[in-house]
Amino acid sequence: MRVLAARLDNDGDVLLTGPAVRALAARASVDVLASPAGAGAARLLPGVDEVLVFDPPWSGFSPAAVDPAAVQDLVSAVRERGYDEAVVFTSFHQSPLPLALLLRLAGVARISATSEDYPGSLLDVRHRREGGPRADAHEAEAALELAAAAGFPVPAGDDGRLRVLTTAPPPPGLPASYVVVHPGASVPARAPLPEQAAGIVEALRHAGRDVVVTGGPGERRLTAAVAGHGAVDLGGRTDLPGLAAVLAAADAVVVGNTGPAHLAAAVGTPVVSLFAPVVPAARWAPHGVPHVLLGDQSAACRGSRARECPVPGHPCLAGVGAREVVAAVEALAPAVPGAVVEEVDRENAPAGGTL
């Protein structure tokens, strides 16, 4: 049996679909259809044979224009591969129906997806989520539930955690033990303020920690400012497999609600999550690893799905002190004996959830 698993989102979203992809791969040959923003993560998922790439005009922060030739190319590519069925994975607020229509045109006989919208004849398995007892399930668990509804339950012995194939070595010259601070995010509302991130790096160093600052090619100025003169600046110096290797070797990762948080979870590294509540933490927090959640989850931006912070001063994250972050790192990854550690006020650190 040949199955197409579709997730047309960013790298982090694709990583959250990884356990469901493994469930499909336990019973079928699986290809993944991903957007250009998620194809890199799709290539890291265990159980994937081939990655197809399509830039959907109905999804993403800067959607592509409708391109009839690109649509026809996708339909032709799917038809040529002769998939027996497809499972369309989406976030809770997205519709799978535009892609389901294209898959029908490509001749896919059985299509499964989660849909609150009436699907007509586009879906054979319509999984429902909103309003049910599992409405607030984590996105990774919701994807597993869709896979099970499509006939692909979690295989025996699979713990349902995120995983990636890590084949790249970390860059040379890294400290023997370090904490990663990743200050950026694809959605600005989900990132800490740059000066706040710089203060976190300074506080961690004062607490006796070596720090590595990571970021993409477009974040070099940010990572340089945050790293200062004492931390290792890897901004723009790693691809996704390389970043996975850096995160895998870290003691802990300090990061907002963005793709590297899920990549850290996929390599099993504890996460201090600076979580802006523009989306629900219950659905998007780091999955399957010890983590501490920081940030005001009742802030005015709660549930807004805002890309830019709608509240002056970014109060949901700006109120998180550097000492709270140091305390959270220490709770997840205690410093080695003998390290010079600045005293941290733990009593005033907010309680965080751990998995």
Side-chain angles (χ1 to χ4, degrees):
M1 178 186 296
R2 196 169 191 189
V3 176
L4 180 65
R7 186 67 194 251
L8 297 174
D9 289 296
N10 290 336
D11 284 331
D13 307 291
V14 174
L15 292 171
L16 291 175
T17 311
V21 170
R22 295 199 306 271
L24 302 181
R27 293 166 174 79
S29 174
V30 177
D31 293 346
V32 170
L33 175 63
S35 73
R43 295 186 181 101
L44 291 180
L45 296 182
V48 175
D49 293 335
E50 183 181 1
V51 176
L52 285 66
V53 181
F54 175 66
D55 198 357
W58 60 83
S59 182
F61 302 127
S62 300
V66 175
D67 183 347
V71 170
Q72 186 56 56
D73 287 346
L74 173 65
V75 170
S76 297
V78 172
R79 182 182 295 113
E80 288 170 4
R81 285 163 175 77
Y83 296 106
D84 297 288
E85 57 185 285
V87 183
V88 181
F89 297 98
T90 56
S91 297
F92 69 97
H93 58 276
Q94 297 172 326
S95 172
L97 300 185
L99 181 57
L101 174 60
L102 299 186
L103 297 177
R104 279 286 191 241
L105 293 175
V108 179
R110 188 173 189 265
I111 303 173
S112 303
T114 300
S115 181
E116 296 306 310
D117 298 324
Y118 173 63
S121 61
L122 297 181
L123 299 181
D124 300 284
V125 176
R126 180 193 184 189
H127 178 250
R128 303 292 293 273
R129 180 176 178 183
E130 297 301 314
R134 297 283 292 161
D136 286 328
H138 195 279
E139 291 294 304
E141 295 171 359
L144 281 170
E145 290 169 7
L146 171 57
F152 301 90
V154 179
D158 193 317
D159 59 11
R161 295 187 179 186
L162 309 190
R163 295 179 196 162
V164 290
L165 305 170
T166 53
T167 57
L174 294 183
S177 175
Y178 58 88
V179 174
V180 166
V181 174
H182 188 93
S186 59
V187 176
R190 302 179 192 175
L193 299 170
E195 58 270 25
Q196 179 184 19
I200 289 170
V201 169
E202 184 178 2
L204 286 167
R205 295 194 64 249
H206 285 168
R209 301 279 187 167
D210 285 321
V211 179
V212 173
V213 179
T214 57
E219 297 174 323
R220 287 189 175 97
R221 290 181 64 182
L222 171 64
T223 60
V226 169
H229 298 292
V232 178
D233 178 13
L234 290 184
R237 291 174 52 193
T238 59
D239 57 11
L240 200 63
L243 179 59
V246 171
L247 299 179
D251 297 328
V253 178
V254 180
V255 60
N257 176 26
T258 190
H262 305 305
L263 188 58
V267 296
T269 301
V271 178
V272 176
S273 177
L274 303 176
F275 199 98
V278 291
V279 294
R283 294 177 172 181
W284 294 99
H287 182 68
V289 292
H291 69 273
V292 176
L293 193 73
L294 300 178
D296 181 2
Q297 299 306 298
S298 61
C301 63
R302 181 180 180 182
S304 65
R305 301 208 300 266
R307 176 167 168 75
E308 302 287 342
C309 182
V311 183
H314 203 24
C316 67
L317 292 185
V320 177
R323 291 164 66 88
E324 296 175 33
V325 177
V326 172
V329 169
E330 178 65 19
L332 292 171
V336 295
V340 178
V341 180
E342 184 181 81
E343 184 178 350
V344 174
D345 183 3
R346 294 178 184 275
E347 292 185 1
N348 293 325
T354 58
L355 294 178

